[in-house]
Amino acid sequence: MNMNKNLKKAGLKATLPRLRVMELFLNEAGTHFTAEDVYKRFLTEGDEIGLATIYRVLTQFEHAGLLQRHHFETGKAVFELNEGNHHDHLVCIECGKVEEFLDEGIEKRQKEIAAERGFAVQDHALYIYVDCLRENCPNRAAKLSHTKPL
Amino acid sequence: MNMNKNLKKAGLKATLPRLRVMELFLNEAGTHFTAEDVYKRFLTEGDEIGLATIYRVLTQFEHAGLLQRHHFETGKAVFELNEGNHHDHLVCIECGKVEEFLDEGIEKRQKEIAAERGFAVQDHALYIYVDCLRENCPNRAAKLSHTKPL
DNA sequence: AAACCATTTAATAATCATTATAAATTAATT
DNA sequence: AATTAATTTATAATGATTATTAAATGGTTT
């Protein structure tokens, strides 16, 4: 199957933790998970996979290009399936909801800006922090970003 | 003097640690410091100001609008003087050098993107990670970003 | 399929950045 | 100068993540 092939290509053995992680990200493409999200998810499903293992697997998958890591202002890293399509993020500071977008104009302008200054772009991160204005936020209580002022 | 006034307005007493921190950022406007940078700087100057105090003061200054906090992909927060001029950052992944820029087109487009989706922009962070291509990087050894793939 | 061996996991402990706590000190006010 | 609340110091605690090491497992070979 697809999963095994991905792992093989990355030179990684098909172990239970890795299959579970891969499966989760494939099944829920587009979702952003922290290491702990993944850990807890498995716990509730009956799989006791150590948190350190989760971290290791996520990092390996990132290096293998299977996942992407992002650092929002929440203090913890989030991972999502790497579907090859670069995009930026809108992050709701009230509920943590994440939406993706891509704007060619912005992409192009970034390259120009770096080039104007003699730099070679390696990567970029654009996070727009918003208020989604939903009164019924599932986790309006568990706010993000206690450090960043608005 | 200027410094005392700033602190007063923020409802903060003019203590030695706060004056030293303020002074440092004023004297080196445009520079980005981590809490530890500040801590070490004072040490070499003979002032033993606790790291926890530095953290507290930096956070207070941030809340008072005197400093701005940024999270690059280095894992630690950096602070710079808030001169009122919003700007984004080009960060060299080889040497840590930071350059600032502002592009009205990008700013405008961001607002549009959020608005199109019914969100209210609270803040944003745009970091372009580049290679400054300087062979003589002062700290080409002490690289940044071991986590983020290029 | 049993044996082999390198890889991987699990269970910790360690680390790094940052925040909280509680006792001692100090700035602003009386 | 005395009072009091704010602040610093020193230290412990926390939260996210990484390192360590012995035990277990996957893939391969016989």
Side-chain angles (χ1 to χ4, degrees):
Chain A
M1 44 226 9
N2 189 4
M3 277 185 264
N4 273 331
K5 228 179 270 173
N6 282 342
L7 294 179
K8 271 277 168 58
K9 191 156 37 171
L12 298 170
K13 286 183 181 170
T15 66
L16 183 84
R18 302 218 258 237
L19 289 171
R20 279 276 184 288
V21 171
M22 198 69 238
E23 178 186 49
L24 173 60
F25 279 92
L26 285 174
N27 286 345
E28 262 155 272
T31 310
H32 296 74
F33 294 97
T34 64
E36 205 161 347
D37 290 341
V38 175
Y39 175 72
K40 282 183 186 158
R41 170 69 80 98
F42 291 153
L43 271 189
T44 67
E45 288 173 2
D47 287 316
E48 284 251 10
I49 299 173
L51 184 54
T53 300
I54 305 287
Y55 271 107
R56 194 165 1 84
V57 170
L58 290 174
T59 301
Q60 289 168 334
F61 282 7
E62 183 201 10
H63 289 144
L66 302 170
L67 297 181
Q68 280 185 263
R69 181 195 302 247
H70 303 288
H71 291 93
F72 302 149
E73 305 253 332
T74 56
K76 46 182 78 172
V78 297
F79 296 82
E80 69 172 316
L81 188 63
N82 183 357
E83 305 187 76
N85 60 333
H86 163 73
H87 54 255
D88 292 310
H89 295 86
L90 288 148
V91 184
C92 177
I93 56 177
E94 290 297 331
C95 70
K97 182 174 166 44
V98 178
E99 250 186 55
E100 303 175 346
F101 74 91
L102 177 66
D103 185 82
E104 282 308 337
I106 291 180
E107 297 292 320
K108 189 162 152 247
R109 200 66 196 95
Q110 288 183 41
K111 279 179 203 127
E112 289 167 4
I113 288 163
E116 279 166 16
R117 289 169 173 70
F119 297 147
V121 174
Q122 302 292 313
D123 194 7
H124 75 257
L126 169 53
Y127 305 128
I128 305 183
Y129 297 100
V130 302
D131 185 335
C132 71
L133 304 173
R134 291 191 299 168
E135 272 315 314
N136 56 338
C137 265
N139 39 352
R140 206 146 179 115
K143 287 195 188 174
L144 302 171
S145 183
H146 35 268
T147 57
K148 186 93 183 184
L150 306 183
Chain B
M1 39 211 34
N2 189 4
M3 275 185 266
N4 272 330
K5 228 179 267 172
N6 281 343
L7 295 177
K8 272 276 169 57
K9 192 154 40 171
L12 298 170
K13 284 183 185 171
T15 66
L16 182 83
R18 300 217 258 237
L19 289 172
R20 278 275 183 288
V21 171
M22 199 67 238
E23 180 185 46
L24 174 60
F25 279 91
L26 285 175
N27 286 344
E28 261 155 274
T31 312
H32 296 75
F33 294 98
T34 65
E36 206 160 348
D37 290 340
V38 176
Y39 174 70
K40 283 182 185 157
R41 168 71 79 100
F42 291 154
L43 271 190
T44 67
E45 289 176 359
D47 288 316
E48 283 251 12
I49 299 173
L51 184 54
T53 300
I54 304 287
Y55 270 106
R56 195 165 0 85
V57 170
L58 290 174
T59 301
Q60 289 168 333
F61 281 7
E62 183 201 9
H63 289 144
L66 301 170
L67 298 180
Q68 279 185 265
R69 180 193 304 245
H70 304 289
H71 292 91
F72 302 147
E73 304 253 331
T74 58
K76 47 181 79 173
V78 297
F79 296 82
E80 69 172 316
L81 187 64
N82 183 356
E83 306 188 74
N85 60 332
H86 163 74
H87 54 255
D88 291 312
H89 294 88
L90 288 147
V91 183
C92 178
I93 57 177
E94 290 298 330
C95 70
K97 184 174 162 46
V98 178
E99 250 186 56
E100 304 176 346
F101 74 91
L102 176 66
D103 186 83
E104 282 307 337
I106 290 181
E107 298 293 319
K108 187 161 152 250
R109 198 68 195 95
Q110 287 185 40
K111 280 180 203 125
E112 289 167 6
I113 288 163
E116 278 167 15
R117 290 169 173 70
F119 296 147
V121 174
Q122 302 292 311
D123 194 7
H124 75 258
L126 169 53
Y127 304 127
I128 306 183
Y129 297 100
V130 301
D131 185 335
C132 70
L133 305 173
R134 290 190 299 166
E135 274 313 315
N136 56 337
C137 264
N139 40 353
R140 204 139 180 123
K143 288 195 188 174
L144 302 172
S145 182
H146 36 267
T147 56
K148 185 93 185 187
L150 305 184

